[in-house]
Amino acid sequence: MKICVLPGDGIGPEIIAEAVRVLKALDLGIEMEEAMLGGCAVDATGSPYPDATQKLAQAADAVLLGAVGGPQWDNNPREQRPERGLLGIRKQLGLFANLRPAILYPELANASTLKPEVVAGLDILIVRELTGDIYFGQPRGIETRNGERFGFNTMHYTESEIRRILRVAFEAARKRNRKVCSVDKMNVLECTQLWRDVAIETGREHPDVELSHMLVDNAAMQLVKNPKQFDVMVTGNMFGDILSDEASMLTGSIGMLPSASLDANNKGLYEPSHGSAPDIAGKGVANPLATILSAAMMLRYTFADEAAAGRIEGAVKKVLAQGFRTGDIYEPGMTKVGTREMGDAVLAAL
Ligand code: IPM
Ligand code: MG
């Protein structure tokens, strides 16, 4: 078992350090090697996804990533922006299936901005297509046309791209409550009419799973109105980007949400759903739990070690029950801790 560890930018190195400690404590014989991705890589090599990192990531069984990005790189040319590194590694490794679970831990019911009865017991899985759509579509650019600037991007999907992500969603639903809601914008966009057609076809292969469809604007509304109606939600790259941030806040803090990005053979990249949080970077206050839970997802999906994954998740539940809280999930009466102390608490609970 070999993993490539990419701390990245902002709070990335701090939260990754805690996840690495947890993995080491489990003593599973996992080999870990670190490399650079994102802004730190741009500064050191000129590229957000340098060759050395590509080699390591391709050779590893899994990649554990902190986060990339920060304001200091926002004005770089596009190919030298941290986000390019992230999109590059997703595309190069063929990580088309992004799983973003949004689970509300009962201890955090009050951390959500929604009423506890709306979110209590929430357990949604967002399955986001990750290597297609308008994120990667050509042509794209900003040009001068007819004497003014003209910006354009292209949304496209092949039916095979749609079918494979729908299949992931149906398979996931079979292990849960057997409901898939496919999200599109078929009333306006042809590309997503195809999405709906293929979703219906793929649904026929999975008669034991209930399939519904929702337009993306309605889905955004339903997520805050009655989020518990959803089990698995499957959608394209851009809609999934937006809806998964929205879903994360139902749970109180995006600082709690792990994610897995998988290829067809369960090789995966595991990262917290949140970003690099430059405003709190280096202060030791970031919540490392999403990254620690991402390491658990790695053990489950890539290494098929359900027991070890369960141990990490159990330890996280325990520290929440013990009242340890980083700033993002803090409420009066709880014990406020920093990144390292939260890591310590998880290790103790393990
Ligand atoms: C995410 C992020 C990325 C995305 C950015 C950083 C490129 O928002 O993983 O959701 O848009 O996919
Ligand atoms: Mg996003």
Side-chain angles (χ1 to χ4, degrees), residues 100 128 135 241-242 244-245 273:
R100 296 190 162 180
R128 169 190 177 197
Y135 267 53
D241 178 45
I242 299 165
S244 61
D245 264 33
S273 286

Side-chain angles (χ1 to χ4, degrees), residues 21-22 25 315 318-319 322 324 341-350:
R21 284 208 298 155
V22 168
K318 190 162 173 195
V319 302
Q322 288 167 337
F324 294 108
E341 294 156 285
M342 189 58 111
D344 289 340
V346 173
L347 285 175
L350 269 183

Side-chain angles (χ1 to χ4, degrees), residues 106-125:
E107 294 82 5
L108 299 183
N110 290 318
S112 176
T113 50
L114 297 192
K115 295 194 186 91
E117 64 267 27
V118 175
V119 290
L122 182 86
D123 181 355
I124 308 179
L125 177 66

Side-chain angles (χ1 to χ4, degrees), residues 68 83-84 86-87 90 98 100 128 130 135 237 240-242 244-245 259 271-275:
V68 300
E83 293 76 14
R84 261 304 158 88
L86 183 56
L87 297 177
R90 287 173 178 170
N98 185 209
R100 296 190 162 180
R128 169 190 177 197
L130 203 59
Y135 267 53
N237 203 345
D241 178 45
I242 299 165
S244 61
D245 264 33
S259 81
E271 56 176 326
S273 286
H274 60 72

